Amino acid sequence: MDDDATGARAAAQVEQVRRARLAAGRPTPPRTVSAASAASAASAASAASALCAGGGVALVAQGEPGVQHLLFLAAGPLCFAAAHLLPTAARRRRGLHGYRGWGRTENTTFLLCAAVLVVCGFSAGTELAWIFAGLGVAAGAAWYAMLRGALVAGGRVRP
Amino acid sequence: MAATATGSDGVGGADGAAPVLEETFTSAVRLRICAYLSGCEEADFKAVQEYCGLSQPNLSKNVTVLAERGYVEVGKVASGRYTKTRLRLTATGQSVLDAHVAALQQIVDSARAHRTRG
């Protein structure tokens, strides 16, 4: 019985730590937003960022070979930059500066994936455009889940 | 500064050793402050105050305790005509927090295993 109570208390504290870390890492709405719409505003900011990330992946392989393809290829990194800067700017307005721990790891992974996708997109022909579009949908969904804190292994606090 | 750890009031770990909890974090407020700071490099005093739902003196008191133990650094940055207070979790604070969370997780796992067996 006592073990159960101690376990429940410990689980509550672990959950508290998880929530605090996510609150510092995920995009947060500005202070002017009322509490009632805060959740939807945060969700909208994450969705906009995810749209940019997914759009960037889809764009790097679009267009006919030549100038058109290069223009799409240039638009990709711009979308990736927007996907990173949207949540970062939202955090900065909120008074949170820089990333630490898993937030930083996720950003580094995002940057590496973006670089690889741009290189792959550069040499991709029009026949791969649909595959990149599908990858874009998957990447956007994954980025959204990551920003909202849904990608946490086994429900444990990420170290 | 070394973490001043105390014996846990929790159940034993899987290997029989009792998980060790950090005394400073037995206060839920201090645990929440450090957990919040562990998600960013630095945070404005106001941001932490808003998240934790504390009054300014209350947060100041808790931050002083954490700073004295070397877990949090307090800095000032110029912002227009004013100065802003920024809080930062130190490397020591980060490692002590990680160890504390690991100990809590061990207690949770142990209690779960105990319940399953029983």
Side-chain angles (χ1 to χ4, degrees):
Chain A
M1 267 308 172
D2 193 37
D3 285 356
D4 280 351
T6 307
R9 216 164 46 235
Q13 285 189 24
V14 169
E15 178 60 17
Q16 189 185 32
V17 170
R18 191 185 73 85
R19 280 177 189 276
R21 280 179 177 168
L22 285 176
R26 75 166 60 145
T28 48
R31 287 194 181 95
T32 49
V33 173
S34 69
S37 60
S40 62
S43 184
S46 302
S49 176
L51 196 68
C52 287
V57 175
L59 281 179
V60 291
Q62 305 299 319
E64 293 298 321
V67 178
Q68 196 188 15
H69 180 60
L70 288 176
L71 284 174
F72 275 113
L73 195 66
L78 290 177
C79 285
F80 293 140
H84 172 68
L85 290 175
L86 275 171
T88 304
R91 290 175 79 247
R92 190 171 283 270
R93 274 200 305 275
R94 190 77 176 168
L96 296 161
H97 308 270
Y99 290 91
R100 191 195 279 252
W102 264 95
R104 184 179 285 176
T105 309
E106 284 165 357
N107 285 338
T108 308
T109 307
F110 178 72
L111 181 72
L112 289 173
C113 289
V116 169
L117 281 163
V118 169
V119 172
C120 292
F122 179 71
S123 52
T126 46
E127 69 278 2
L128 289 177
W130 282 107
I131 292 176
F132 271 80
L135 277 176
V137 173
W143 188 241
Y144 180 82
M146 209 151 69
L147 289 175
R148 303 300 295 153
L151 288 184
V152 182
R156 284 171 180 255
V157 173
R158 297 181 293 186
Chain B
M1 182 192 284
T4 52
T6 59
S8 163
D9 59 346
V11 289
D15 56 354
V20 179
L21 294 172
E22 166 58 31
E23 192 181 11
T24 316
F25 297 142
T26 49
S27 154
V29 169
R30 289 200 281 268
L31 178 65
R32 197 187 295 180
I33 292 168
C34 286
Y36 192 63
L37 290 175
S38 72
C40 59
E41 278 293 319
E42 284 183 325
D44 290 351
F45 185 91
K46 199 108 177 106
V48 181
Q49 185 187 344
E50 204 167 87
Y51 177 74
C52 295
L54 298 170
S55 65
Q56 196 174 327
N58 195 352
L59 179 59
S60 282
K61 202 175 75 181
N62 282 293
V63 165
T64 304
V65 171
L66 291 167
E68 276 170 1
R69 299 202 175 193
Y71 298 166
V72 167
E73 271 175 11
V74 183
K76 301 268 184 193
V77 288
S79 173
R81 291 166 53 197
Y82 308 98
T83 54
K84 275 186 177 175
T85 304
R86 291 239 179 112
L87 306 177
R88 178 193 185 91
L89 192 68
T90 62
T92 308
Q94 180 74 64
S95 59
V96 171
L97 177 68
D98 288 344
H100 182 80
V101 171
L104 285 172
Q105 190 65 59
Q106 201 181 337
I107 291 169
V108 173
D109 291 345
S110 178
R112 200 172 288 156
H114 186 77
R115 206 167 41 237
T116 310
R117 260 185 268 123

